[in-house]
Amino acid sequence: MEYFLQQLINGITLGSIYGLIAIGYTMVYGIIGMINFAHGDIFMVGSFIALIMIIALGLTAGSAIAVVILSLLLVLVLAMVLTSAWGWSVERIAYRPLRGSFRLAPLITAIGMSIILQNFVQIAQGARVKPLQPIITGGYTVMDSNGFAVQVSNIQILIIMTTVILMVAFSLLISRTSLGRAQRACEQDRRMASLLGIDVDRTISLTFVMGAALAAVAGLMYLLYYGVIDFFIGFVAGVKAFTAAVLGGIGSLPGAMLGGLLLGLIETFWSGYFSVEYKDVAAFSILAIVLIFLPSGLLGRPEVEKV
Amino acid sequence: MTRWTKDPVLTVEHLTMRFGGLVAVNDLTFQAGRGDITALIGPNGAGKTTVFNCITGFYKPTEGRLTARHADGRTYLLERMPDHAISGEAKVARTFQNIRLFGGMTLLENLMVAQHGPLMRASLFGIGGLFGIGSYRRAERAAIDKARYWLDRVGLLARADDPAADLPYGAQRRLEIARAMCTGPELLCLDEPAAGLNPRESAELNELLLYIRREQATSLLLIEHDMSVVMEISDHVVVLDYGVKISDGEPEAVRNDPKVIAAYLGVDDDEVEAVEHEVEEVEREVAR
Amino acid sequence: MAARTEHSVAASFKDAAIAAVIALALFGPLVGLRTEVTTGGLFLSQRWGDVAIAVAVVFVGRLLLNVFVFKTDRPATNLFSGMKLSAGALARIGPVFGPLMLGLALTLPFILLYGAPSQSRYYIDLGILVLTYVMLGWGLNIVVGMAGLLDLGYVAFYAVGAYSYALLAINFGWSFWLCLPLAGVLAGLWGITLGFPVLRLRGDYLAIVTLAFGEIIRIVLLNWYEFTGGPNGLNNIPRPSFFGLEFDRSPEGFAATFGLEFAAIHRIIFLYYLILALALLTAFVTVRVRRLPVGRAWEALREDEIACRSLGINTTTTKLTAFAMGAMFGGFAGSFFATRQGFISPESFTFIESAVILAIVVLGGLGSQIGVVIAAIVLIGGFEIFRDFAEYRMLVFGLAMVLIMVWRPRGLISTRKPTIALGKAKAIGGELVGEGRG
């Protein structure tokens, strides 16, 4: 039971990170119907920017608690802004010229962009893994029995809290603001939206910016949680997050979050009870099984075949 | 006992199709006679295309039985067959309301794809064809001849090697019919074949449909919402409204059915009753 | 007009300045501050000079583009319009280009041996590499280009072929010529097994599931130590023989039998012709099958799946045949890879391989055999040219992918040739050809 609880906490933490990245995939897919393969690498860029900012600010575990909080907020905002610039640029360079053309073309440029980002960071920052000393330490023991203590660390609380706050803010943004409305309009019918005076290019750009900002948050969380990053983390995280988005039903924001959580839980429990080596196999197999029985994911709108 | 109940090519019994809470077709029963042009008409949203999709296997009906009967007496239960077998074995072909051609393939290729089944068997499922066996070459020649015949029929032989997407709208409609005919159907289902055609194209279409009925062993079932088109060529008309059959009979009888008139004009039920009452009175007067 | 030009220059500067600011935001932190790992933890080294260069390059580049292309009435690119490869021109050179390439491919080893003996080994090796990708491209083209099914895990079948050959040859000592067809059949069976449950998925769902399968196979290969050797891979995979004659110094060897002096290059040349023959087999079968009903059904499936179903085509089996056939050729290529390298490990079968093969197919032009050849030469050959800049070559590779795609979204050769014609077959413009949703 204790072991189960511990795995649950770990799984939710991991799932939160996946969910934040998955939202970027699902939003872009919703609005322009393409797999933004470079999104995982945007997440990686975000975590690198966060790392650079943390070192630049000289943040360590020894700093006073107020300093840590303020600095982390600053790092978060800076990383979100700078990563957004990357997200925007990728869309501007590699996807916008191909708007309305062949479906596979932006997929290939996305893969190209993913290769570019990985190798750019590898050249600019070096190929070695970057270990960061833990900044947020400590935690609480939730339960202690038979010598097995169930722990929730502060960083886990931080990650889950941040994710919840962002999810709420984000849902409000999509459902209440004119930007959200424009986005939903573009999802439905891009040409009609533009006829009604919506700046479609701007809306799509903003979608990429928002996705990148959330990826930057996930990047910072990943950095703080695992304490080690390299230029290749984007690929695995990206594939997992995309899997999460599809699992939840691509195009659906709650679906992305649900998919992320499920994927995080599946991985953690599989690692905890069976084998660490095959956790990805478990995650991918469950994806395949879900899709076979629910072809549009858990929360996706079923695609009605128009004959 | 009417003509179509004696030798039906298609029998629809108690067909019901629900989408969630929406009942698109409710307990529909009708028959289409062999050698007839049967028209399924009704206002927009009456469930006509849904009936078609059930007949051709694109939807699985919620309830009901759909039987195709060939001239040789063999019967096929369509609701139990996968869509490709409905065309391949039960020989029920169809066209689509939004024309579905293989746009990037030539006209000839479109018609060759329609003869997939026989050509596959002749090529021993590809293996024999790979080595160019004689039976496949003969089958391919026959298929080309058949395609050429139908292209000529629909007046598109000169454009045989052009991509289908390049054709004007009316020609695309005719090509789609030719493609369906290349499958050698016992029953051909046409989904709004006259939609979007100008009067001349419409007349050509009627001629083509009459030709198919006259010269080929193919019966026709067509959907229309424009009654005037239907009345000219149909032998038998079934009228749907809100998924329910409201009239069934010879065109002349259906044309004068007050329920049909009401459905098309969109009048209230009590008004229909009033009209019915009037009609009865007129009939009584005429009788007197 | 004059007024507009003036306005354009000012606008050009403004636009370039904005681009420079964005470049500063992009490159400032990531290039300007480099994280260095030391024993005392991480610290930052500063390289603002590089940032300045990068920003200047962006500014000048954007300015030049603005002045000469984007914000002018006479874009400089018009000068090249005469050189632009029109669909018609490509269709015209097609019939000449194909045989020319074939002739070159057939004679290449001898041209190299006599033309540049010292470099010949390197270039023949490069030829082998390019041909391997051509073959993989042609194999994937069946799935993506003809049937319109997006497969992001093609490398799985390449891996199955390679491991099948290696395991059969190592454990049972069977010869290459016996293992090759077996490996192909095994890969094809895997294609059917994996394809059967998922081929009814549409579009990007299929893409992600194929990607997942590719990863699953790689992870299994990586972790199943007893069987696959795990990350260490499989060593000492038997080399192919020339119909029983080994390429060695023994009196029964290839060189001795033909009265030649033993040379290591014999094996390389043999491998070259082996992969050439395999690739040509792929092309031959594909071209033949395209004209058969099953091939036409693949293309029809790409154009409109619903119409196919209404014409009596069983879409599931039709997709499966495409998937299985693509997988089989991937398996052939895999066993060739194994026998050529003599060593395989899961590292050779990562997602990036699938991506590169897919890029070759899409850049070449979906469904175009010649296009795949050109794209493979450009991408793989170009990649080799940059080998002196090892650090930058993947970066350039990615850039090339993006630029070619933006330049020609439908690939280098996008026209489609009809499979049958009453009169003279006319090429069909790429814009009419469907791209598949599956």
Side-chain angles (χ1 to χ4, degrees):
Chain A
M1 181 61 205
E2 290 76 26
Y3 189 61
F4 175 85
L5 207 60
Q6 185 67 64
Q7 297 301 333
L8 188 69
I9 294 165
N10 296 348
I12 291 174
T13 314
L14 181 62
S16 301
I17 296 176
Y18 284 155
L20 285 175
I21 311 174
I23 289 174
Y25 277 108
T26 224
M27 278 199 313
V28 166
Y29 191 89
I31 200 161
I32 51 175
M34 69 163 283
I35 306 176
N36 178 13
F37 247 99
H39 189 65
D41 298 288
I42 293 286
F43 153 78
M44 177 271 295
V45 166
S47 72
F48 263 89
I49 292 175
L51 176 71
I52 291 167
M53 295 300 155
I54 286 175
I55 306 172
L57 290 172
L59 201 56
T60 59
S63 315
I65 185 83
V67 176
V68 170
I69 291 173
L70 282 178
S71 312
L72 277 184
L73 264 179
L74 183 63
V75 168
L76 184 71
V77 171
L78 279 173
M80 283 170 87
V81 170
L82 292 171
T83 311
S84 299
W86 279 97
W88 183 87
S89 308
V90 166
E91 193 273 334
R92 184 68 190 79
I93 294 169
Y95 308 149
R96 194 183 293 180
L98 294 170
R99 188 126 337 127
S101 109
F102 199 48
R103 180 174 67 102
L104 286 178
L107 180 74
I108 299 297
T109 52
I111 293 172
M113 267 296 160
S114 164
I115 295 175
I116 291 173
L117 287 177
Q118 267 177 37
N119 287 278
F120 167 73
V121 173
Q122 187 188 0
I123 293 166
Q125 295 291 326
R128 289 183 65 178
V129 294
K130 313 284 181 188
L132 179 72
Q133 294 301 319
I135 292 171
I136 299 173
T137 51
Y140 303 95
T141 304
V142 184
M143 199 197 273
D144 195 348
S145 66
N146 314 326
F148 189 91
V150 181
Q151 306 235 324
V152 187
S153 62
N154 285 334
I155 177 72
Q156 286 178 322
I157 295 171
L158 178 76
I159 289 173
I160 296 169
M161 293 272 288
T162 315
T163 308
V164 170
I165 293 169
L166 279 172
M167 265 311 283
V168 172
F170 217 72
S171 309
L172 289 178
L173 186 71
I174 298 294
S175 59
R176 298 284 163 83
T177 64
S178 64
L179 169 64
R181 211 157 35 237
Q183 247 178 351
R184 281 177 285 143
C186 291
E187 270 176 40
Q188 294 287 324
D189 188 334
R190 222 184 300 156
R191 189 176 305 167
M192 194 63 214
S194 96
L195 283 176
L196 293 174
I198 293 172
D199 187 340
V200 173
D201 278 344
R202 185 168 154 271
T203 310
I204 293 174
S205 283
L206 280 172
T207 307
F208 276 85
V209 163
M210 288 192 290
L214 288 181
V217 180
L220 174 64
M221 300 297 155
Y222 183 96
L223 175 68
L224 293 175
Y225 190 48
Y226 290 102
V228 55
I229 56 170
D230 63 43
F231 70 96
F232 200 63
I233 57 168
F235 172 70
V236 180
V239 171
K240 292 287 180 54
F242 185 64
T243 305
V246 173
L247 191 60
I250 197 152
S252 147
L253 287 185
M257 215 53 235
L258 176 70
L261 278 178
L262 268 179
L263 200 70
L265 289 170
I266 292 165
E267 269 192 52
T268 328
F269 278 103
W270 193 274
S271 314
Y273 288 96
F274 303 104
S275 67
V276 173
E277 292 87 11
Y278 288 106
K279 70 176 161 66
D280 293 355
V281 174
F284 290 138
S285 307
I286 287 188
L287 170 80
I289 293 165
V290 167
L291 285 184
I292 287 164
F293 292 104
L294 283 172
S296 37
L298 295 170
L299 298 184
R301 255 170 290 146
E303 194 181 344
V304 180
E305 201 169 41
K306 277 275 177 205
V307 181
Chain B
M1 187 141 180
T2 46
R3 192 173 68 250
W4 47 85
T5 49
K6 250 181 278 161
D7 184 14
V9 65
L10 174 75
T11 307
V12 175
E13 291 162 286
H14 306 294
L15 174 68
T16 300
M17 183 75 207
R18 285 190 208 99
F19 298 102
L22 178 82
V23 184
V25 179
N26 194 3
D27 197 27
L28 173 70
T29 299
F30 72 91
Q31 287 178 312
R34 188 175 314 285
D36 278 359
I37 295 181
T38 308
L40 188 60
I41 65 168
N44 283 329
K48 303 176 302 259
T49 300
T50 307
V51 174
F52 257 43
N53 286 340
C54 289
I55 294 172
T56 50
F58 284 88
Y59 295 159
K60 287 286 155 244
T62 320
E63 282 165 35
R65 192 154 78 157
L66 303 158
T67 319
R69 199 166 140 267
H70 285 189
D72 59 14
R74 273 182 297 177
T75 55
Y76 298 86
L77 294 178
L78 301 182
E79 79 278 4
R80 296 189 188 167
M81 298 169 81
D83 43 24
H84 59 87
I86 288 177
S87 166
E89 291 162 33
K91 296 289 171 201
V92 177
R94 72 169 293 173
T95 63
F96 296 89
Q97 196 170 341
N98 318 312
I99 307 172
R100 287 183 173 276
L101 290 169
F102 306 123
M105 301 173 87
T106 64
L107 273 56
L108 178 62
E109 284 179 307
N110 267 275
L111 301 197
M112 293 298 280
V113 172
Q115 303 178 59
H116 180 78
L119 283 174
M120 260 323 247
R121 283 186 285 279
S123 73
L124 304 177
F125 299 92
I127 297 155
L130 205 55
F131 301 105
I133 55 169
S135 72
Y136 173 66
R137 265 177 289 154
R138 275 193 300 281
E140 192 179 34
R141 263 199 301 279
I144 294 173
D145 286 342
K146 191 170 183 180
R148 192 198 295 269
Y149 171 80
W150 278 106
L151 282 174
D152 194 25
R153 243 313 119 197
V154 298
L156 292 170
L157 188 56
R159 304 203 60 179
D161 297 329
D162 288 344
D166 266 355
L167 291 180
Y169 189 79
Q172 292 198 0
R173 281 243 178 257
R174 293 204 302 279
L175 179 63
E176 206 188 17
I177 295 173
R179 187 179 69 181
M181 285 310 294
C182 278
T183 64
E186 292 261 334
L187 175 67
L188 173 60
C189 304
L190 302 163
D191 197 344
E192 305 228 359
L197 299 188
N198 63 34
R200 193 175 57 83
E201 290 172 328
S202 207
E204 280 172 9
L205 176 82
N206 285 357
E207 217 169 281
L208 175 65
L209 298 186
L210 289 170
Y211 164 80
I212 290 173
R213 182 185 62 167
R214 200 170 60 239
E215 303 287 327
Q216 306 284 329
T218 303
S219 317
L220 294 162
L221 174 65
L222 58 97
I223 288 183
E224 262 308 334
H225 65 259
D226 182 357
M227 284 202 19
S228 59
V229 178
V230 171
M231 295 306 166
E232 277 178 49
I233 57 167
S234 306
D235 304 295
H236 171 198
V237 179
V238 177
V239 190
L240 273 189
D241 192 23
Y242 294 111
V244 181
K245 184 168 90 173
I246 56 170
S247 188
D248 184 347
E250 306 259 344
E252 207 48 40
V254 167
R255 192 205 298 270
N256 298 324
D257 189 332
K259 279 207 204 110
V260 178
I261 298 166
Y264 267 82
L265 297 177
V267 288
D268 295 341
D269 282 356
D270 42 323
E271 278 186 77
V272 175
E273 270 168 16
V275 171
E276 276 173 344
H277 185 70
E278 271 176 38
V279 171
E280 273 167 38
E281 275 188 358
V282 170
E283 277 173 354
R284 242 177 281 139
E285 268 182 37
V286 171
R288 233 185 282 141
Chain C
M1 271 302 158
R4 200 185 144 199
T5 317
E6 261 176 39
H7 171 74
S8 300
V9 171
S12 299
F13 267 95
K14 195 178 156 205
D15 182 85
I18 293 172
V21 171
I22 293 169
L24 183 64
L26 298 182
F27 299 133
L30 280 174
V31 175
L33 299 165
R34 183 184 166 110
T35 47
E36 307 280 1
V37 184
T38 62
T39 45
L42 290 166
F43 80 98
L44 295 174
S45 61
Q46 304 187 11
R47 293 175 305 181
W48 298 107
D50 294 355
V51 176
I53 293 169
V55 171
V57 167
V58 169
F59 179 77
V60 173
R62 183 77 193 174
L63 188 63
L64 290 177
L65 275 176
N66 277 338
V67 171
F68 291 108
V69 185
F70 297 147
K71 292 185 196 292
T72 166
D73 301 326
R74 290 182 289 109
T77 40
N78 282 0
L79 296 176
F80 302 109
S81 58
M83 288 161 60
K84 225 177 201 171
L85 299 168
S86 68
L90 276 173
R92 250 174 284 127
I93 64 163
V96 192
F97 190 73
L100 204 72
M101 287 302 287
L102 181 63
L104 184 66
L106 283 170
T107 49
L108 185 75
F110 295 99
I111 295 174
L112 285 171
L113 273 183
Y114 295 105
S118 59
Q119 302 262 293
S120 61
R121 168 148 194 174
Y122 168 69
Y123 282 109
I124 295 174
D125 263 332
L126 181 57
I128 293 174
L129 190 67
V130 169
L131 280 172
T132 311
Y133 278 97
V134 168
M135 175 165 180
L136 287 168
W138 279 342
L140 184 61
N141 209 353
I142 296 173
V143 184
V144 181
M146 289 174 71
L149 304 165
L150 182 50
D151 182 355
L152 287 179
Y154 191 61
V155 77
F157 307 120
Y158 190 43
V160 168
Y163 273 86
S164 301
Y165 167 70
L167 290 167
L168 289 172
I170 292 172
N171 293 335
F172 300 113
W174 293 351
S175 84
F176 177 76
W177 297 105
L178 180 60
C179 295
L180 178 77
L182 278 177
V185 168
L186 278 172
L189 284 176
W190 270 99
I192 292 172
T193 318
L194 298 188
F196 190 70
V198 300
L199 278 176
R200 67 196 190 96
L201 295 176
R202 287 289 188 76
D204 301 308
Y205 291 100
L206 179 65
I208 187 72
V209 171
T210 49
L211 191 161
F213 277 143
E215 284 295 292
I216 287 176
I217 287 195
R218 191 180 62 83
I219 295 165
V220 170
L221 292 176
L222 198 59
N223 289 301
W224 196 356
Y225 292 94
E226 313 80 63
F227 193 52
T228 65
N232 301 328
L234 294 167
N235 275 309
N236 300 324
I237 299 167
R239 300 302 194 138
S241 56
F242 185 80
F243 302 102
L245 301 175
E246 301 289 341
F247 289 93
D248 57 17
R249 286 177 191 280
S250 69
E252 296 87 41
F254 173 82
T257 310
F258 287 89
L260 299 166
E261 201 175 318
F262 173 78
I265 195 88
H266 290 162
R267 192 214 312 270
I268 311 288
I269 293 174
F270 172 67
L271 284 172
Y272 176 88
Y273 280 111
L274 181 59
I275 186 66
L276 183 62
L278 285 173
L280 289 178
L281 175 76
T282 313
F284 173 77
V285 171
T286 313
V287 168
R288 272 314 277 252
V289 169
R290 216 177 142 242
R291 287 167 199 199
L292 291 177
V294 62
R296 260 183 230 126
W298 290 343
E299 293 201 81
L301 207 58
R302 180 192 66 205
E303 298 285 327
D304 193 328
E305 185 174 339
I306 288 176
C308 279
R309 281 155 55 185
S310 81
L311 296 173
I313 294 171
N314 184 338
T315 49
T316 311
T317 53
T318 307
K319 284 178 182 178
L320 271 182
T321 51
F323 219 61
M325 191 169 235
M328 185 181 76
F329 288 119
F332 286 154
S335 39
F336 171 80
F337 177 78
T339 192
R340 177 199 169 203
Q341 301 290 98
F343 161 76
I344 49 172
S345 75
E347 241 172 81
S348 310
F349 308 104
T350 52
F351 168 72
I352 197 75
E353 288 293 315
S354 290
V356 168
I357 302 165
L358 182 66
I360 286 173
V361 173
V362 179
L363 291 176
L366 285 182
S368 164
Q369 304 288 93
I370 287 289
V372 166
V373 176
I374 299 172
I377 293 172
V378 169
L379 279 189
I380 306 301
F383 191 62
E384 275 302 308
I385 291 173
F386 279 90
R387 72 198 228 113
D388 294 338
F389 311 93
E391 249 201 329
Y392 291 90
R393 67 177 184 164
M394 271 315 272
L395 193 66
V396 174
F397 186 78
L399 270 174
M401 265 166 81
V402 173
L403 291 178
I404 299 177
M405 218 62 248
V406 171
W407 173 50
R408 286 187 80 88
R410 286 221 154 229
L412 296 168
I413 298 183
S414 56
T415 54
R416 174 183 175 273
K417 219 171 156 263
T419 56
I420 191 168
L422 289 182
K424 197 173 148 23
K426 290 172 278 190
I428 297 171
E431 68 285 354
L432 298 180
V433 180
E435 48 184 318
R437 289 195 54 238

